[in-house]
Each structure stands twice: as C-alpha cells, then as structure tokens.
C-alpha cells in the first residue's frame, strides 16, 4: 500500500464518505490507528444507507435500524493532507461487511465496479467536476452574499482575489488540480473547475474540495453552501465531465471520415441520453434541486444532447477545432451540489456501457434554445428532463440498466432516500426548503 507522500506525520485523520442524500459524513480518528483501520475498519450502522438530508431514516428491506454493523476502511492510497490543518490527514473510506466483503450499498465500490467493467472493453475515462457554491453570512434571518455581481466581474477582484489565492494554495497543498475559478451569475455564487483525472479520484476530490472550500470560507469569515439553491433563481451546479478513451484515442472526438464521433462514443453517449430521466434522480437529489433545472438557466433542463449547447442536459464540449482529439468530453449539466459524485459518475458509465452493448444511436444534436420555439412553429425539438423529484424517482425505479448496475440494495436505498425527501418536503415552501438545505451542503 502506497500512501500519499504529501501527508507528513499526521496526528489525526478525517475518514470521509458521502451518503445517498449527498451529505458528507465523517469520523475522526487518531492517525496512529490508520494502518490497522485500513484492514479492520471502524464501525458504522448500515442504516446510514438511507439517511436523509435532515438526519431522518428511510426504510429498505434488509436494513434494520437496530441491527448490524459495517466497517469503514480508509483507503490510504488516496490519503491527502488537510490544508490549513497540517497535523490532520484526510482519507476516503470504503464500506465493508463485518465478514470483510465489499458492502453492496457502498457508492465508492459501485463506481470502482463500473470502471472495472469498462476496462474489460478497453475503455478508460477522465473525469472532473465544476463546483459552484454560494458564499455569504447569516445576519439574523437574512443572508448577506459575498458579492452581488457582475458575473465574472473584474470589479470584484479586490473582494475575491485574496480568497481565491488562498483557495488555490489550499488545493495545491492537497494535490488537487484546478483549471480556473470565478464569480458566477448568482448573488454570492463562486465556481472552481477541477482538473480531469481518474473517475474514482475525481469523486474523492469532489468531497475533499468541498471540505477545503468550507474551511477556507470559515477562516475568511464566510459560510459556504453547495446546496442546489441558496438565493435568487440561479442554483449551484456540480457539472460532471467525462471523456471516453480507448488505446489513447478519444471516442468523443470527430472521426477522420466526417463522422461526428467514434461509433462506440456515439453509442455510449446515446446510452446516457436514454437513461436521463432516471439519472436525474441521482444528479438532482432534493426537491429544491428542481428549482434549479429550469429552461433558460443553462442548467441542462432539456433531455437532449448538443455541441456546446448550454441548454442541453448533455453538452458535448471541446469536440470541435484542432484540439478536439484531446479535449472532447461530455458534460452532464443537471448535477448539483447535493449529488453523490460516486453515484453520478458510476451511473453515467453504467448507462453508457448499456448503450454500447445495444449499439444505440443518437438523434440530431440540439440546435439553439427549444424554449424559443413558439406554438406557431410546432412543439419544442426536445422534452424537459423530469421536473419533480417524484417523476425522476419513478424513472429511476423503472430503469432496468441502472438496477442491474447498482444492484438491488444500492438502488433501493437511493429510491427510498428520494421518496423520503419527497414526503418530508411536500408541504414546505421554497424558502423553507432553502433554509433546510443551506447549512447541510
């Protein structure tokens, strides 16, 4: 076992996992125990598989709230230093049964399985997330954002430059690659685009980056929230990027024969497109998530694909020009900050592999904005993705490809978590939903 050499003599450690509601959960342990825990683990109730946003439990057959135990094993090959806390290490965990078998409800094991399944077909991936969050302060009942625009505004540099400089330094300390950062459209909204890497590492970095941003915001006197909606109409996304490769060739890049992309790349993308209604329950886990994925907000509300089209749920990026053979990737836009990154990437891969197996083909790409099509011009050229948590959860329950990939326990746990979310929030106002989730992500 090779541990991250950037972690030098930690005294304590954060053991980190993300549950099906997208909440980061941790245990703290003395660093002296890490080696033994990597094989023996630390205990956790299996009922955490159906823990919801407000710390109530849903129910799934086989998960007894009073019975059983899991073992959380730190993956020391992916251990990192926790910036700003040099005596602390941070490590993701895998969930095992007491008998030492991978627990079928573990999201990290699921992603690992999907990557391994793809490797049997000679496929590899690079993955990354764009993280958006809202920074501000609570002042009584009011929320004071760190800025009120303009988006990407140079006038905000005096306010934001020291904050971003500290964040970039923290990311570098933790070994996290960052492409860029900026002020986004929403009041107080900020964004960083993380660099591409292996899917398992990308999902780990999603969790660690959020932890770093929370810590740096706290140190600078602010609060950070990755909740899908915090203020106004513009919500926080966590757009998932995936590129597909075989023997060094990008399968999303244009072919020399004039084809838009490789035949297998098209089938892979068509598989994701076919499962978009079910995938929405994974990428948009809260009722308030559906206030974010609306037409006209560049949030991927339309169930289609398009070349560089920000209204399409699946945006094929970097697939034109001289660098397309290096930069081609698909961006799933309808993923927000409450999503579990292991589920999001694993489900994308599972759907794509199903599309390849059945040699699915893509319809024409979205051109323009479907919402601008008037009644006199006929129906919009695309349908909307599910616009409620009930609709997307029903679609997930009906998805045979995703049930086969996730397994009964994991998919039933996700569905139970979503149904509990739907029940709990059915009578809550928009403002109450925002208040409920703002401090939990």
């Amino acid at each position: 076992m090779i541990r991250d050499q950037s972690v030098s003599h930690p005294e304590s450690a954060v053991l980190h996992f993300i549950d099906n509601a997208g909440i980061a959960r941790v245990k703290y342990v003395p660093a002296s125990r890490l080696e033994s825990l990597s094989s023996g683990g630390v205990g956790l109730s299996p009922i955490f598989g159906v823990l919801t946003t407000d710390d109530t439990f849903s129910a799934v057959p086989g998960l007894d709230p009073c019975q059983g135990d899991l073992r959380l094993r730190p993956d020391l090959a992916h251990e990192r230093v926790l910036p700003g806390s040099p005596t602390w290490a941070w490590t993701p965990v895998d969930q095992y049964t007491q008998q030492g078998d991978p627990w079928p409800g573990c999201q990290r094991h699921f992603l690992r399985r999907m990557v391994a399944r793809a490797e049997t077909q000679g496929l590899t991936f690079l993955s990354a997330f764009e993280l958006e969050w809202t920074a501000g302060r609570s002042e009584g009942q009011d929320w004071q954002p760190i800025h009120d625009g303009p988006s990407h505004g140079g006038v905000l540099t005096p306010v934001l430059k020291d904050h971003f400089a500290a964040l970039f330094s923290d990311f570098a300390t933790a070994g996290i690659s960052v492409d860029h950062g900026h002020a986004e459209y929403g009041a107080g909204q900020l964004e960083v685009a993380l660099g591409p890497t292996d899917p398992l590492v990308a999902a780990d970095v999603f969790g660690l980056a959020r932890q770093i941003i929370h810590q740096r915001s706290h140190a600078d006197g602010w609060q950070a929230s990755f909740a899908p909606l915090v203020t106004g109409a513009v919500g926080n996304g966590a757009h998932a990027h995936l590129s597909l490769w075989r023997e060094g060739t990008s399968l999303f890049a244009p072919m020399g024969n004039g084809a838009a992309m490789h035949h297998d790349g098209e089938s892979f993308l068509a598989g994701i497109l076919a499962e978009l209604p079910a995938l929405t329950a994974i990428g948009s886990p809260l009722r308030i998530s559906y206030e974010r994925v609306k037409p006209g907000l560049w949030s991927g509300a339309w169930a289609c694909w398009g070349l560089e089209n920000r209204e399409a749920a699946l945006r094929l990026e970097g697939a034109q020009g001289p660098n397309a053979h290096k930069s081609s990737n698909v961006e799933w836009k309808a993923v927000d900050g409450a999503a579990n990154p292991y589920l999001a990437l694993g489900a994308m891969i599972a759907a794509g592999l199903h599309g390849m197996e059945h040699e699915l083909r893509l319809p024409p790409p979205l051109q323009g904005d479907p919402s601008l099509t008037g009644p006199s011009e006929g129906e919009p050229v695309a349908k909307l993705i599910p616009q409620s948590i009930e609709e997307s959860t029903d679609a997930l329950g009906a998805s045979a490809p995703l049930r086969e990939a996730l397994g009964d326990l994991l998919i039933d746990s996700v569905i139970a978590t979503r149904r509990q979310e739907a029940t709990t929030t059915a009578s809550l106002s928009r403002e109450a939903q925002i208040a409920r989730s703002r401090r939990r992500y």
Side-chain angles (χ1 to χ4, degrees):
M1 182 175 295
I2 301 174
R3 294 173 62 176
D4 188 336
Q5 296 305 307
S6 67
V7 181
S8 177
H9 306 298
E11 297 174 3
S12 306
V14 177
L15 306 186
H16 177 275
F17 69 98
I18 300 176
D19 67 16
N20 288 321
I23 299 286
R25 308 285 181 179
V26 301
K27 287 207 173 192
Y28 307 114
V29 299
S32 59
R33 296 198 64 212
L34 282 174
E35 291 288 353
S36 63
L37 291 177
S38 66
S39 57
V42 63
L44 182 78
S45 169
I47 203 65
F48 271 73
V50 286
L51 193 60
T52 61
T53 303
D54 56 2
D55 279 0
T56 59
F57 295 107
S58 176
V60 167
L63 289 185
D64 189 317
C66 303
Q67 191 88 18
D69 203 24
L70 298 176
R71 308 307 296 174
L72 302 181
R73 294 186 186 178
D75 184 350
L76 298 187
H78 294 272
E79 180 185 350
R80 310 246 184 165
V81 67
L82 191 61
S85 306
T87 62
W88 280 81
W90 178 97
T91 178
V93 299
D94 292 308
Q95 301 174 57
Y96 286 83
T97 67
Q98 286 189 308
Q99 291 71 37
D101 300 317
W103 186 51
C106 177
Q107 304 88 354
R108 200 165 183 264
H109 282 312
F110 162 63
L111 175 55
R112 189 183 283 113
R113 287 200 317 273
M114 294 304 102
V115 171
R117 181 181 293 186
E119 287 174 346
T120 65
Q121 302 183 42
L123 301 173
T124 57
F125 307 93
L126 288 175
S127 307
F129 288 91
E130 297 177 58
L131 297 181
E132 296 172 346
W133 72 99
T134 302
R137 293 190 184 99
S138 293
E139 297 182 356
Q141 298 297 314
D142 296 326
W143 174 263
Q144 182 64 41
I146 195 173
H147 71 81
D148 58 3
S151 171
H152 298 68
V155 70
L156 298 176
T157 301
V159 177
L160 298 178
K161 64 180 177 62
D162 291 343
H163 187 62
F164 270 109
L167 278 177
F168 292 159
S169 177
D170 288 344
F171 287 140
T173 299
I176 295 176
S177 170
V178 176
D179 282 351
H180 61 267
H182 60 267
E184 258 293 356
Y185 282 91
Q189 191 176 46
L190 305 175
E191 177 180 327
V192 291
L194 303 173
T197 184
D198 164 83
L200 190 69
V201 175
D204 288 343
V205 165
F206 176 106
L208 177 55
R210 289 200 312 185
Q211 179 69 56
I212 290 171
I213 291 167
H214 276 299
Q215 288 196 177
R216 177 51 57 187
S217 299
H218 180 76
D220 289 351
W222 299 94
Q223 299 161 11
S225 177
F226 293 86
L229 198 64
V230 177
T231 59
V234 179
N236 292 319
H239 306 165
H241 292 256
L242 192 71
S243 61
L244 178 65
W245 303 81
R246 180 183 282 134
E247 297 180 352
T249 297
S250 170
L251 302 189
F252 289 150
M255 298 287 288
N257 61 5
M261 68 185 81
H262 190 281
H263 180 88
D264 283 344
E266 180 184 356
S267 291
F268 190 93
L269 189 55
I272 300 175
L273 180 62
E275 294 300 321
L276 264 181
L279 290 169
T280 303
I282 290 175
S284 299
L286 307 181
R287 183 178 295 278
I288 198 68
S289 296
Y290 297 84
E291 295 290 323
R292 188 186 78 85
V293 284
K294 298 294 184 184
L297 296 179
W298 291 2
S299 56
W302 295 96
C304 57
W305 76 285
L307 290 167
E308 303 293 358
N309 194 315
R310 289 176 173 81
E311 283 296 302
L314 299 177
R315 175 190 178 203
L316 193 62
E317 245 193 358
Q320 298 171 306
N323 292 318
H325 64 290
K326 296 180 181 178
S327 59
S328 297
N329 71 93
V330 62
E331 177 189 20
W332 176 20
K333 296 183 69 66
V335 180
D336 67 38
N340 181 299
Y342 304 97
L343 290 179
L345 293 179
M348 285 182 80
I349 294 170
L353 293 177
H354 185 262
M356 287 180 59
E357 179 184 349
H358 293 273
E359 298 186 348
L360 300 185
R361 302 268 66 86
L362 285 169
L366 173 68
Q367 300 289 337
D369 184 350
S371 64
L372 299 180
T373 301
S376 63
E377 300 169 287
E379 294 296 320
V381 295
K383 294 182 179 181
L384 291 170
I385 64 172
Q387 292 293 287
S388 72
I389 191 170
E390 290 88 354
E391 183 185 353
S392 66
T393 303
D394 287 345
L396 180 59
S399 173
L402 292 185
R403 178 167 290 277
E404 184 279 328
L406 277 83
D408 288 340
L409 178 62
L410 184 52
I411 195 170
D412 286 344
S413 296
V414 174
I415 290 170
T417 303
R418 301 296 180 268
R419 296 210 188 286
Q420 182 72 24
E421 166 72 16
T423 299
T424 301
T425 58
S427 61
L428 295 184
S429 67
R430 185 175 188 267
E431 292 70 25
Q433 291 179 60
I434 289 173
R436 172 179 178 265
S437 61
R438 189 177 69 207
R439 292 181 177 274
R440 293 187 173 264
Y441 293 96

